[in-house]
């Protein structure tokens, strides 16, 4: 029994002493502890319009810089003679200071996009010598700077994602309370809509609803919109329709047109284009087809994928709304919209005039011309302001037959009277 | 005899529990700091505090030693080494950086950043981290791990 107790005591003593010996061994040698070194960087992208330039202080020829979180970037702006800087557009989590021609981005906490643009005249960019601009808010200067100045197209644009009818420069797209503008480049009048943007656009659109893209309030003209086909698939699933406000037209695709577009697209993206056509660009056949009509305006409307036109106009409806004001002294009845085919023949397009816009349905990817006709008996009936009229042979023959019948009756009555006399 | 054995066993158990508690070393769960505590059985020891994080370009951190009780002629030394050769990395992208103790740049492994000689109870050094003359080429988080070694020599 004593032996057992002795062994137990020995074991216990060893077990108790073990950690102490290890500790002592450690203490007599080394102990270690780790520390994490970190730095978070953010990208600052700067886009600049025409009629001026900028430099990032401390950087050479940089349109984008990477900076540590919390740091500052100073941008010196140099408008050309006769121009001044407009209120800059800023996206991202940052404090913006504006003084003369110097923009200070302070305490940068996210990627930042800064858009600098210029206007004619020497108007101040903001309402004072020094201002703090808050991303997500309207930072436009008060006063009439915008209305009187001839604006120069900027390099970037925003789109209306919150449906308030205004192109948004700074908006909170992910609902985190921080402005994170959907800024995208426009190159040669083309706006490329990414799947990400489409996702955000469709986020709050109900089934069978309309996805709206407004480009018409931007300073830069957008003539072409490139859309990802994958997003069209999702639109088709939810039977969504599309509405674009371009410059200057509006174009709407119903759900059937969207579905057809998705089915026929042989590529990753489709391009919807409305391009103003210079009358001199029309070939002889097309010019001859218009004949003596005065050409007011001509547009090329196309939907294509990988350079191939996609015809969706039979399966679905593509409607164009073109702002139009008749010339002084003339009435809307004197104007027509004609489809001018590549071969030349023209075809009148059913058109209504509604709220200052000519509204017509696109029949094919072609040139559409607005012409002024010379009034005469051979001219088809003009469209009125509320409904369209079909110019058929029957509609022209009816009055002629009626007049003929009246003449015959009058002749017979006249002859009978003479016989009686 | 049994009473004596029981008493001895009880004492051994109590003592072992004390030892286990005193062996608690680095508390990394504490906010922003890790404390290294060592206790000699003969009553000597030290407490070295090393923060868990430092931001490049950010505020200084303090490495401190307290309650230093070591044998005469010995020195408590805290040295540092980098896991990424003194570069913060974000994937393949690496940015060189250095520590600075207010007098000199530190960017060599096993550099002693803090020395406390016997007879001195406390010591500390403030360190900052700064990028070398380099700029990032992408946004994101770059990290490195510094290992601080505490030794009595």
């Amino acid at each position: 029994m004593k032996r057992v107790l002795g062994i137990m005591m020995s074991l216990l003593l060893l077990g108790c002493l073990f950690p102490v010996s290890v500790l002592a061994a450690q203490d007599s040698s080394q102990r270690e502890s780790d520390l994490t070194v970190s730095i978070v960087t953010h990208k600052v992208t700067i886009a600049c319009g025409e009629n001026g330039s900028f430099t990032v202080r401390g950087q050479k020829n940089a349109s984008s810089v990477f900076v540590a979180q919390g740091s500052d970037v100073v941008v010196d702006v140099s408008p050309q003679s006769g121009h001044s800087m407009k209120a800059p557009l800023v996206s991202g989590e940052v404090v913006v200071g504006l003084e003369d021609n110097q923009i200070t981005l302070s305490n940068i906490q996210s990627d930042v996009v800064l858009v600098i643009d210029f206007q004619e005249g020497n108007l101040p960019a903001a309402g004072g010598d020094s201002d703090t601009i808050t991303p997500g808010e309207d930072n436009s200067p008060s006063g009439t700077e915008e209305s009187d100045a001839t604006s120069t197209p900027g390099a970037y644009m925003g789109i209306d994602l919150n449906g308030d009818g205004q192109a948004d420069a700074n908006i909170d797209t992910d609902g985190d309370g921080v402005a994170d503008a959907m800024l995208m480049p426009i190159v040669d009048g083309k706006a490329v809509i990414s799947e990400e943007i489409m996702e955000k656009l469709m986020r709050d659109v109900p089934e069978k609803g309309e996805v709206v893209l407004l480009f018409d309030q931007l300073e830069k003209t957008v003539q072409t919109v490139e859309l990802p086909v994958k997003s069209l698939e999702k639109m088709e699933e939810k039977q969504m329709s599309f509405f674009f406000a371009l410059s200057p037209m509006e174009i709407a695709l119903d759900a059937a047109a969207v579905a057809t577009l998705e089915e026929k697209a042989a590529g990753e993206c489709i391009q919807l284009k409305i391009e103003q056509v210079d009358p001199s660009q029309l070939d002889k056949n097309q010019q001859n087809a218009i004949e003596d009509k005065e050409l007011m305006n001509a547009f090329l409307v196309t939907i294509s994928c990988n350079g191939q036109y996609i015809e969706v106009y039979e399966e679905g409806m593509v409607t164009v709304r073109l702002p139009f004001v008749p010339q002084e002294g003339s009435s809307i009845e004197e104007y027509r919209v004609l489809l001018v085919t590549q071969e030349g023949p023209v075809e009148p397009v059913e058109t209504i005039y509604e709220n200052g816009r000519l509204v017509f349905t696109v029949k094919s990817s072609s040139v559409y011309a607005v012409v002024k006709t010379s009034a005469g008996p051979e001219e088809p009936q003009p469209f009125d302001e509320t409904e369209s009229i079909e110019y058929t042979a029957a509609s022209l023959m009816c009055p002629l037959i009626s007049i003929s019948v009246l003449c015959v009756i009058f002749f017979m009555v006249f002859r009978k009277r003479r016989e009686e006399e | 005899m049994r009473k004596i054995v029981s008493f001895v066993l009880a004492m051994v158990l109590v003592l072992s529990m004390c030892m286990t508690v005193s062996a608690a070393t680095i508390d990394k769960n504490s906010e922003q700091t890790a404390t290294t505590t060592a206790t000699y059985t003969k009553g000597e020891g030290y407490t070295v505090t090393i923060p868990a994080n430092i931001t490049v370009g950010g505020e200084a951190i303090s490495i401190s030693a307290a309650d230093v009780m070591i044998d005469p002629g010995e020195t408590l030394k805290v040295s540092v080494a980098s896991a990424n050769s003194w570069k913060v990395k974000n994937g393949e992208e690496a940015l060189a950086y250095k520590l600075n103790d207010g007098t000199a740049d530190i960017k060599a492994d096993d550099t002693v950043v803090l020395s406390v000689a016997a007879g001195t109870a406390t010591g500390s050094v403030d360190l900052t981290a700064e990028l070398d003359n380099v700029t990032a080429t992408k946004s994101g988080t770059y990290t490195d791990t510094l290992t601080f070694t505490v030794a009595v020599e």
Side-chain angles (χ1 to χ4, degrees), chain B residues 24-91:
Chain B
T25 53
I26 301 171
D27 180 14
K28 287 191 174 178
N29 294 324
S30 63
E31 190 177 349
Q32 296 267 321
T33 62
T35 304
T36 301
T37 305
T39 305
Y40 285 116
T41 52
K42 52 187 176 183
E44 296 181 353
Y46 55 81
T47 299
V48 175
T49 302
I50 301 167
N53 300 292
I54 185 171
T55 303
V56 179
E59 293 182 357
I61 59 162
S62 180
I63 309 287
S64 63
D67 304 325
V68 179
M69 290 183 289
I70 52 179
D71 289 340
E74 288 184 331
T75 303
L76 174 72
K77 292 181 178 177
V78 180
S79 60
V80 64
S82 163
N84 293 332
S85 303
W86 298 90
K87 287 175 182 169
V88 281
K89 287 188 174 179
N90 180 4

Side-chain angles (χ1 to χ4, degrees), chain A residues 15 113-114 217 263 306 311 350 413 420:
Chain A
V113 176
L114 168 66
Q217 298 177 32
E263 285 167 15
N306 284 340
E311 300 295 327
E350 292 180 26
V413 170
E420 286 174 355

Side-chain angles (χ1 to χ4, degrees), chain B:
Chain B
M1 180 61 187
R2 283 183 184 174
K3 282 185 179 176
I4 295 169
V5 170
S6 300
F7 178 74
V8 170
L9 277 171
M11 286 300 293
V12 166
L13 279 169
V14 169
L15 283 171
S16 68
M17 286 171 72
C18 290
M19 295 300 179
T20 306
V21 170
S22 66
T25 53
I26 301 171
D27 180 14
K28 287 191 174 178
N29 294 324
S30 63
E31 190 177 349
Q32 296 267 321
T33 62
T35 304
T36 301
T37 305
T39 305
Y40 285 116
T41 52
K42 52 187 176 183
E44 296 181 353
Y46 55 81
T47 299
V48 175
T49 302
I50 301 167
N53 300 292
I54 185 171
T55 303
V56 179
E59 293 182 357
I61 59 162
S62 180
I63 309 287
S64 63
D67 304 325
V68 179
M69 290 183 289
I70 52 179
D71 289 340
E74 288 184 331
T75 303
L76 174 72
K77 292 181 178 177
V78 180
S79 60
V80 64
S82 163
N84 293 332
S85 303
W86 298 90
K87 287 175 182 169
V88 281
K89 287 188 174 179
N90 180 4
E92 294 297 313
E93 169 112 356
L95 304 173
Y97 74 99
K98 54 186 174 280
L99 290 179
N100 188 284
D101 63 2
T103 56
D105 289 340
I106 300 163
K107 59 180 308 170
D109 285 350
D110 301 324
T111 301
V112 175
V113 295
L114 177 64
S115 294
V116 182
T120 308
T122 60
S124 68
V125 61
D126 290 339
L127 298 175
T128 56
E130 296 294 337
L131 282 181
D132 285 351
N133 192 23
V134 293
T135 52
T137 56
K138 67 176 181 181
S139 50
T141 303
Y142 296 70
T143 59
D144 183 24
T145 301
L146 291 179
T147 300
F148 286 85
T149 302
V150 183
V152 178
E153 298 172 354

